[in-house]
Amino acid sequence: MPQRHVHSIGGQLTTLIMPAWIPGRYLGIKTVNIAPGNAALGLPALAASYLLYDATTGQPLALMDGNEITSRRTAAASALAASRLAKPDAQTLLVVGSGQVARLLPEAYRAALPGLQQLWLWNRTPATALALAAQLRDQGLPVAAVQDLATAVRQADIVSCATLATAPLIHGEWLQPGSHLDLIGSFTPAMREADESCFQGASLWVDTIEALRKSGDLLAPLASGLLKPEDLRGTLADLCRQPGSGRQHAQERTVFKSVGTALEDLAAAMLVYEQACPKSRCANAPAS
């Protein structure tokens, strides 16, 4: 997985190209077009597509909705990390945000942590939180909207943020010992969801080392010296490959910061393709 390519196309249009591959099996390339001015035209600001190829012949296998792949793999990666970092007996999840990723988080977390009993949702606009909570309850999820963010954070075992915030929403003094903080937004230096004290005394994990260079959540405490690169405990891959490397004790406070990776896109696209085409050559090829 090379670093993503970012290109200014002209005007306000920016294109991101994110490739990843498994030799002899699959090659995937996601293209993301970002056009902030689209709001004035009544169009989405982001459009993405995902192309999956045979990594031996180069032949295209599938074209997928890049937005759908992105939102679902993002929620899945956060839930996967929480299954290693949250307390095994965690019962309360607070979701901060109401966008496409936030809508998927309650279901993803319940799949990874079946013991969760209380699912809370907070949004800057209370009416939006109430409407989304009602939609999720219709899907069979026990979600309730909350209005007091500080109180909800203090009571939650897991706090998962999926916003476009540019100033901290979560303050470290609110987080209880043993809690797990999941930060999904802040995928640029100008964005922040958590203040610096959220990282003080906490075990930090990231989805990819690139997070240390891209996320405003991490750049601020790194610049102040509160956080040092050597404080990083590891990546999501480390969590998955090294059993027992996650949470070490009940009072440990953990933080998972994600910025998204092309490997997550590839894993999601492979899953979609192999379920749709179980007899394909690539699906039956041995893993490398």
Side-chain angles (χ1 to χ4, degrees):
M1 180 187 70
Q3 290 191 9
R4 68 189 71 186
H5 304 269
V6 181
H7 302 280
S8 178
I9 304 303
Q12 291 187 315
L13 181 61
T14 301
T15 292
L16 280 63
I17 302 172
M18 301 173 61
W21 59 87
I22 299 176
R25 295 192 68 197
Y26 295 105
L27 160 66
I29 301 175
K30 184 171 76 174
T31 303
V32 184
N33 294 324
I34 304 169
N38 279 3
L41 304 174
L43 297 171
L46 188 147
S49 59
Y50 195 89
L51 270 171
L52 186 68
Y53 298 89
D54 184 307
T56 299
T57 66
Q59 294 300 300
L61 300 172
L63 172 63
M64 304 181 192
D65 183 330
N67 293 355
E68 196 72 22
I69 286 287
T70 301
S71 58
R72 289 181 176 273
R73 61 85 154 147
T74 301
S78 285
L80 175 60
S83 71
R84 269 77 170 173
L85 296 175
K87 292 187 297 186
D89 60 350
Q91 295 188 356
T92 305
L93 165 70
L94 168 64
V95 173
V96 178
S98 61
Q100 184 58 39
V101 174
R103 292 166 182 266
L104 296 170
L105 288 170
E107 182 180 6
Y109 268 91
R110 279 287 291 271
L113 296 164
L116 287 174
Q117 300 297 318
Q118 295 179 301
L119 306 178
W120 296 335
L121 178 69
W122 180 89
N123 186 264
R124 288 184 185 275
T125 306
T128 301
L130 286 167
L132 178 54
Q135 293 175 20
L136 294 173
R137 284 197 300 273
D138 289 342
Q139 298 173 18
L141 294 167
V143 179
V146 296
Q147 295 190 24
D148 188 331
L149 180 59
T151 298
V153 171
R154 287 189 172 101
Q155 297 176 356
D157 296 312
I158 304 170
V159 179
S160 182
C161 299
T163 74
L164 298 177
T166 55
L169 295 169
I170 309 300
H171 298 270
E173 64 188 71
W174 299 345
L175 295 164
Q176 62 173 303
S179 64
H180 173 61
L181 176 60
D182 172 36
L183 300 170
I184 295 171
S186 184
F187 47 83
T188 73
M191 302 170 72
R192 292 186 68 182
E193 293 182 310
D195 73 358
E196 296 184 25
S197 63
C198 287
F199 303 95
Q200 192 166 17
S203 298
L204 173 64
W205 297 79
V206 297
D207 61 343
T208 169
I209 295 298
E210 288 187 45
L212 297 177
R213 302 189 297 271
K214 293 184 175 179
S215 172
D217 276 334
L218 299 183
L219 289 172
L222 284 169
S224 70
L226 184 145
L227 185 66
K228 298 179 176 60
E230 54 267 29
D231 293 331
L232 178 66
R233 286 279 301 278
T235 66
L236 181 58
D238 297 326
L239 275 175
C240 294
R241 291 172 177 166
Q242 302 169 12
S245 63
R247 172 175 291 273
Q248 300 300 303
H249 56 84
Q251 295 301 300
E252 181 181 11
R253 198 159 57 74
T254 57
V255 178
F256 178 67
K257 175 68 204 120
S258 62
V259 292
T261 78
L263 284 177
E264 293 170 2
D265 293 323
L266 180 60
M270 287 169 57
L271 181 63
V272 170
Y273 179 70
E274 292 182 358
Q275 287 186 346
C277 308
K279 295 183 179 179
S280 67
R281 186 192 68 77
C282 288
N284 296 317
S288 58

